């Protein structure tokens, strides 16, 4: 992972799966990965996205009503 990546942090693995499916359906590249330890230890999974897609991802999850903890650059 590089600074060109960001992660969508969520409360549970099921939320991460919902976010990944939502983004895939919206045509936004994403991948569910383990949460990097230097970011958080709350949930075991997060969704990696391209840094440049952060705003589009934020709009998509808000429109879908999916609660996310935060979207953070890597």
């Amino acid at each position: 992972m590089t600074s060109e990546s960001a992660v969508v942090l969520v409360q549970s693995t099921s939320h991460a799966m919902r976010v990944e499916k939502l983004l895939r359906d919206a045509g936004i590249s994403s991948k569910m990965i383990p949460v990097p330890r230097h970011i958080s230890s709350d949930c075991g999974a997060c969704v990696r996205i391209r840094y440049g897609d952060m705003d589009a991802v934020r709009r998509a999850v808000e429109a879908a009503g999916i609660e996310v903890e935060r979207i953070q650059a890597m």
Side-chain angles (χ1 to χ4, degrees):
M1 287 181 258
T2 68
S3 61
E4 295 176 0
S5 296
V7 289
V8 181
L9 299 169
V10 294
Q11 295 178 357
S12 68
T13 300
S14 63
H15 280 90
M17 291 170 63
R18 286 183 62 202
V19 169
E20 184 183 37
K21 181 182 181 330
L22 170 74
L23 298 180
R24 181 180 59 240
D25 292 348
I28 300 171
S29 178
S30 65
K31 181 176 181 176
M32 195 166 76
I33 62 168
V35 175
R37 295 264 185 233
H38 69 278
I39 292 178
S40 175
S41 61
D42 290 344
C43 171
C46 65
V47 179
R48 185 179 64 209
I49 59 172
R50 289 187 301 242
Y51 180 84
D53 289 337
M54 286 176 64
D55 289 335
V57 168
R58 189 171 285 113
R59 287 190 301 271
V61 295
E62 286 175 3
I66 299 174
E67 185 177 335
V68 300
E69 290 185 17
R70 68 182 182 272
I71 300 173
Q72 178 176 329
M74 292 292 292

